[in-house]
Amino acid sequence: MHRSMSKIRRAKTGRASSWDTTGRNFDWWYFKPGETRVLADIKGPGRITHIWMTQPSHLRKALLKITWDNAAKPSVLVPLGDFFGLGHAIANTYDCFLFATSTGRPNEMNANVALNSYIQMPFRERAVVELINEGEVEHFQYFYIDYELAEDAMDDDDGYFHAEFRRQNPFPGWAHEIPANTIEANVASKEKTAYNNNYIILDTKGLGHYIGCNLSVTNFQGTWWGEGDDMIWVDGYKWPPDLHGTGSEDYLCHAWGMQKHGHLRCGTSLHEANTGGYQTSYVHHIENPVHFRESIKVTIECGHANHLANEISSVAY
């Protein structure tokens, strides 16, 4: 990446934004309840290099939608806050390799916040970026979508970017009243029982690589929520899975619980101690992606052996 800073390429840089074309300072777009508007419709080949958005509210009631090359379905359809690593419609400030957010009202629900993505998103023919207001009241949005156009913007071995949002509220835990790390909860969790019952972060078919996720938990019980193992199956079921972890905070690259730190590749964007039980953590394994040729199923237990019934949601990248 740093070496490319000095490489001169035959590319054209462009931006779609909400700037006021009358020359005044009303630099936002209004969205009526239920309205969808196109933020950018870019003719390729090219790649989106940066997205900046800010809004006063609706971090879960506004959806970001991105469709590549006239596909029948979008590759991104994710609530705004969750896409940028902030679950539960709660604003906060954090910074990592792929995302950066900033707010003067940390740990507040639906507070105003700046949202940035630096994910490289190449396309061959066309990129359509839309915003959907699923709220009951008017929404207004500021945005920049920066991109570059170039014949070599998407090589033959480049993949399209996808993001998948999932949520269960509550997760159907079999013994939510049992605290974590007790003998009663320490039952066997393996084989098809785990495959069929773990929380699913990503379940898809095709050729690609998985580069991480964010995971949001509403800790209803108050005990430790993160004792669940991550289990990832590549190209079909087998036991043990291709990747089997040792605990939620371990998969999220922390230990002995989740600390209040955000790092370059992993960390916490919302900590339950600051929010009354709402947690969002992330891990981006960019240098060590999980490659798949036919299919991938990324799962994690909700408490050991799925005994907890917390709310859990996620975005897989």
Side-chain angles (χ1 to χ4, degrees):
M1 178 185 70
H2 296 292
R3 187 174 180 178
S4 67
M5 292 172 63
S6 61
K7 184 179 179 182
I8 303 299
R9 297 174 53 243
R10 295 184 179 275
K12 179 182 179 181
T13 303
R15 169 178 291 163
S17 81
S18 57
W19 71 285
D20 186 348
T21 57
T22 70
R24 299 182 184 274
N25 194 35
F26 300 109
D27 291 318
W28 59 83
W29 285 15
Y30 281 110
F31 293 75
K32 298 176 182 178
E35 184 179 16
T36 299
R37 294 186 66 179
V38 175
L39 308 185
D41 188 343
I42 310 165
K43 302 301 186 291
R47 67 173 56 217
I48 292 174
T49 55
H50 171 237
I51 299 174
W52 167 86
M53 308 184 85
T54 192
Q55 57 294 304
S57 59
H58 296 158
L59 289 174
R60 267 213 168 144
K61 292 190 176 182
L63 306 184
L64 182 65
K65 179 181 178 181
I66 305 176
T67 306
W68 308 119
D69 292 350
N70 302 303
K73 295 181 179 180
S75 292
V76 176
L77 187 61
V78 179
L80 202 55
D82 294 87
F83 178 83
F84 292 91
L86 297 174
H88 313 290
I90 296 176
N92 204 10
T93 297
Y94 86 103
D95 182 37
C96 67
F97 186 77
L98 298 181
F99 300 104
T101 70
S102 180
T103 182
R105 297 164 58 189
N107 300 307
E108 286 189 34
M109 192 165 288
N110 279 316
N112 48 51
V113 59
L115 307 168
N116 290 275
S117 164
Y118 295 93
I119 299 171
Q120 300 295 295
M121 306 180 188
F123 56 94
R124 289 188 172 85
E125 298 176 14
R126 186 184 183 196
V128 180
V129 183
E130 300 170 86
L131 192 75
I132 305 169
N133 178 14
E134 290 197 328
E136 299 79 25
V137 298
E138 196 170 52
H139 172 81
F140 75 87
Q141 186 74 53
Y142 298 82
F143 65 89
Y144 287 12
I145 299 168
D146 295 326
Y147 59 90
E148 62 179 37
L149 304 177
E151 289 299 323
D152 61 349
M154 191 169 191
D155 295 330
D156 290 340
D157 56 355
D158 273 328
Y160 293 100
F161 172 74
H162 302 265
E164 179 172 305
F165 174 75
R166 289 175 178 256
R167 182 186 184 196
Q168 286 187 272
N169 185 24
F171 184 87
W174 53 267
H176 187 66
E177 71 280 0
I178 299 176
N181 294 314
T182 60
I183 299 236
E184 293 82 359
N186 194 11
V187 302
S189 175
K190 59 182 183 178
E191 298 173 343
K192 281 296 182 75
T193 299
Y195 184 81
N196 292 328
N197 292 285
N198 290 355
Y199 174 78
I200 298 172
I201 296 172
L202 174 64
D203 190 1
T204 195
K205 295 180 179 179
L207 171 69
H209 56 239
Y210 164 65
I211 59 168
C213 69
N214 64 62
L215 188 73
S216 297
V217 177
T218 306
N219 194 349
F220 291 137
Q221 190 200 70
T223 187
W224 168 229
W225 54 264
E227 200 57 36
D229 292 354
D230 57 292
M231 305 180 198
I232 302 176
W233 283 270
V234 176
D235 297 338
Y237 171 79
K238 60 187 76 65
W239 189 262
D242 301 84
L243 293 87
H244 195 303
T246 59
S248 304
E249 77 271 44
D250 307 338
Y251 173 59
L252 296 163
C253 297
H254 280 209
W256 306 104
M258 292 301 300
Q259 292 79 53
K260 299 179 183 180
H261 308 304
H263 301 295
L264 193 64
R265 296 171 180 82
C266 62
T268 295
S269 55
L270 298 168
H271 196 278
E272 59 184 325
N274 298 331
T275 60
Y278 297 103
Q279 175 87 24
T280 299
S281 299
Y282 61 91
V283 59
H284 303 141
H285 28 84
I286 301 165
E287 294 88 353
N288 55 321
V290 182
H291 301 275
F292 56 97
R293 293 182 175 274
E294 298 175 2
S295 65
I296 187 170
K297 187 174 183 180
V298 180
T299 75
I300 198 165
E301 296 173 309
C302 188
H304 177 73
N306 295 309
H307 78 283
L308 292 178
N310 290 319
E311 180 208 1
I312 187 166
S313 60
S314 59
V315 179
Y317 305 103

